[in-house]
Amino acid sequence: MARIAFILLCHKDPEAIIKQAERLTSVGDYMSIHFDARADPEYYAHIRAALDENPNVTFAKKRIKCGWGEWSLVQATLNAIEAAVEAFPRATHFYMLSGDCMAIKSAEYAHDFLDRDDCDYIESFDYFQSDWIKTGWKEERLIYRHWFNERTQKKRFYAAFELQKRLGLTRAIPDDIQVMIGSQWWCLRRRTIEWVLDFTRSRPDVMRFFRTTWIPDETFFQTLVRHLVPESEIRSRTLTFLMFTDYGMPVTFYNDHYDLLLSQDFLFARKISPEAKELKRRLGLLYATRGWDFRISNEGRSLFHFLTGRGRIGRRFAPRFWESEGSLGRKRELLIVVCKKWHVAKRLVERIRKMTNIPCIEYLFNEESTPLPDLGGIQSTMGKRHRHRRALMRMLFDYYETERLIICLDPNNIDLLNDFYGDRSVTRMLEVECVFSDEYLTGHAKRVGLAGEKTPQETLDRLLPTIRGDMQFEIDQIRDANFPNHDRIREADPPETNAEALGHFLAIDRGKALEIASIHYLYSD
């Protein structure tokens, strides 16, 4: 059975560290602690006094002062690993933790999870080919030497960099290694850890290289594990659940995140707020429980991005000058069907196409797979369609040789509606108002990744009102804009009432409009 030796790097909150160590070792697991030499000596003395008698806890024999982005973080980790390997010969796995991490599964579940697959869990993506680094330096982290801390010695850090750059003092990456990058929160098997330690003793050239790279805790273990372990035995993921905001800051979890955390496909979570005392209490009791049936839905990240994105109005990028100045054509009519239930709009426009011969294109700005003619590549990606929206529509009018064209839009495309209504052409909109049952909203949440098949009902109960409110917010934006030529049909209204709006929207006679509005299956889910 798996026995985990936790590698804990910490520098504050001694009481929390003591509780964490006692909690994780009470079920037979181990812990090796490196407490930053820069921190308050009284904190360290307090931790040692509380844990020295615990046979499942050990301490790094040499403590060093740690700094963000420095080699010191890797060296502190290696010191704690060496202490753990020596003190705990029965440990089968070594799991990297911080003082802000807490278990979101029981020890029973964690041990079974690790026994299930003989592999290492570590994010490791090709340093140069992947997009793991979103902004800032990439090659510069490696080919130049970094001796100073960027945060505490900023002037020296950038002065040394500029001097090397000016003099051309670059260096080569060791020939036989492929630099990888990923999260520093890994879980490695004992054999892998022993191979890494042997490698650090036999390859001083590689050690010299990493000692002066920038932010080596994101590359050192990631590179060595890929170098030493067959790819089939590596799972390129972390077992610690963590998320980042749009600004690159870690998301903090609070008391009301308990159910969400337990349903994620991870063993630990980072980072737990110091003020989330109830969450800490409940998670603290969790690790020692037995027989807990964890229902994994794994919707955490998609749910976070959905909720944080609510209320953000406006364009992410400014329009190109040729987009704002271009026109679809003064004599042309763009007819837009706006509907949240895409299948309803598709049924409606298919019927309109057959009854009127007006060219109809479904959700071309929402679905990549929407069938479109070859327009020289402008239609090839969703990004191009949005950036060159007016040019795309002009080309579609020309392709179909028509002065009237129907498209479908999701209600969240308020920026597109504003842009098309600002054109010199005539724009008409037909809003299709549907009824959203709880069953439909639950299915919608699962289809878009906000929930999974095993999402707890408690989470769904809190989520559905938010989704319903979000949909209403999108419709309210449209109505508040007071667009002209705005017609509406409603699921709750009889076909006779809807036929009037359809007739006005399409400029067709009442009989034909009534035939379109009378589709008995139009609103079926």
Side-chain angles (χ1 to χ4, degrees), residues 165-176:
K165 187 177 178 181
R166 188 162 58 250
L167 298 177
L169 299 177
T170 59
R171 60 176 178 175
I173 297 169
D175 290 336
D176 62 330

Side-chain angles (χ1 to χ4, degrees), residues 469-484:
D470 197 62
M471 292 180 175
Q472 186 59 49
F473 174 75
E474 293 171 355
I475 294 299
D476 288 344
Q477 281 192 102
I478 293 174
R479 294 178 184 174
D480 290 344
N482 292 317
F483 291 121

Side-chain angles (χ1 to χ4, degrees), residues 139-151:
E139 185 181 38
E140 293 87 346
R141 290 195 192 188
L142 305 179
I143 65 172
Y144 296 107
R145 297 167 178 83
H146 303 280
W147 297 282
F148 305 105
N149 186 292
E150 193 267 345
R151 292 188 174 180

Side-chain angles (χ1 to χ4, degrees), residues 103-284:
I104 56 174
K105 298 291 186 293
S106 64
E108 179 185 56
Y109 181 98
H111 295 157
D112 290 344
F113 181 95
L114 295 176
D115 283 335
R116 209 177 302 149
D117 197 0
D118 184 23
C119 63
D120 297 305
Y121 294 92
I122 181 169
E123 270 192 358
S124 53
F125 304 101
D126 185 276
Y127 188 90
F128 294 100
Q129 299 301 318
S130 72
D131 63 347
W132 203 86
I133 298 175
K134 302 295 183 184
T135 59
W137 285 357
K138 194 166 190 176
E139 185 181 38
E140 293 87 346
R141 290 195 192 188
L142 305 179
I143 65 172
Y144 296 107
R145 297 167 178 83
H146 303 280
W147 297 282
F148 305 105
N149 186 292
E150 193 267 345
R151 292 188 174 180
T152 61
Q153 298 174 292
K154 190 177 291 287
K155 288 184 178 180
R156 290 181 177 180
F157 178 89
Y158 287 107
F161 167 72
E162 292 296 338
L163 180 62
Q164 293 177 80
K165 187 177 178 181
R166 188 162 58 250
L167 298 177
L169 299 177
T170 59
R171 60 176 178 175
I173 297 169
D175 290 336
D176 62 330
I177 67 169
Q178 178 184 4
V179 179
M180 311 295 287
I181 191 167
S183 167
Q184 63 269 53
W185 311 110
W186 42 253
C187 178
L188 304 177
R189 296 167 296 176
R190 185 182 193 92
R191 183 187 67 179
T192 302
I193 285 292
E194 290 173 345
W195 285 351
V196 168
L197 293 178
D198 289 341
F199 186 92
T200 62
R201 301 180 188 112
S202 63
R203 292 295 302 271
D205 59 321
V206 176
M207 297 299 284
R208 282 195 300 270
F209 173 78
F210 278 107
R211 280 194 182 99
T212 51
T213 60
W214 191 41
I215 320 180
D217 54 319
E218 294 179 349
T219 55
F220 179 77
F221 288 98
Q222 296 77 359
T223 299
L224 265 59
V225 171
R226 281 282 177 180
H227 184 75
L228 299 168
V229 178
E231 184 176 359
S232 61
E233 298 179 22
I234 299 174
R235 305 293 174 263
S236 188
R237 57 160 295 188
T238 175
L239 296 181
T240 298
F241 181 59
L242 68 162
M243 298 188 295
F244 292 90
T245 68
D246 291 348
Y247 305 101
M249 301 300 292
V251 173
T252 301
F253 298 108
Y254 296 93
N255 290 334
D256 56 351
H257 287 122
Y258 179 78
D259 291 328
L260 180 139
L261 291 176
L262 265 59
S263 64
Q264 305 313 303
D265 188 23
F266 297 86
L267 304 184
F268 282 74
R270 183 181 188 275
K271 100 194 242 190
I272 309 299
S273 169
E275 287 76 35
K277 292 183 170 44
E278 179 62 16
L279 177 61
K280 286 189 170 187
R281 184 191 69 79
R282 298 177 74 183
L283 292 179

Side-chain angles (χ1 to χ4, degrees), residues 16 70 171 232 355 362-363 385 413 450 455 479 481 495 500:
E70 291 181 6
R171 60 176 178 175
S232 61
M355 297 288 294
E362 296 171 356
Y363 288 87
R385 295 179 200 176
N413 294 130
L450 298 178
T455 297
R479 294 178 184 174
E500 185 175 344

Side-chain angles (χ1 to χ4, degrees), residues 56-120:
N56 285 13
V57 175
T58 191
F59 293 84
K61 293 182 178 179
K62 182 179 181 181
R63 294 168 56 217
I64 60 176
K65 295 179 179 179
C66 297
W68 183 87
E70 291 181 6
W71 168 257
S72 55
L73 287 173
V74 177
Q75 188 60 61
T77 305
L78 289 171
N79 292 353
I81 289 173
E82 289 174 346
V85 168
E86 180 181 338
F88 309 127
R90 297 181 63 189
T92 62
H93 293 77
F94 294 74
Y95 195 120
M96 183 75 178
L97 283 183
S98 77
D100 294 323
C101 298
M102 286 197 74
I104 56 174
K105 298 291 186 293
S106 64
E108 179 185 56
Y109 181 98
H111 295 157
D112 290 344
F113 181 95
L114 295 176
D115 283 335
R116 209 177 302 149
D117 197 0
D118 184 23
C119 63
D120 297 305

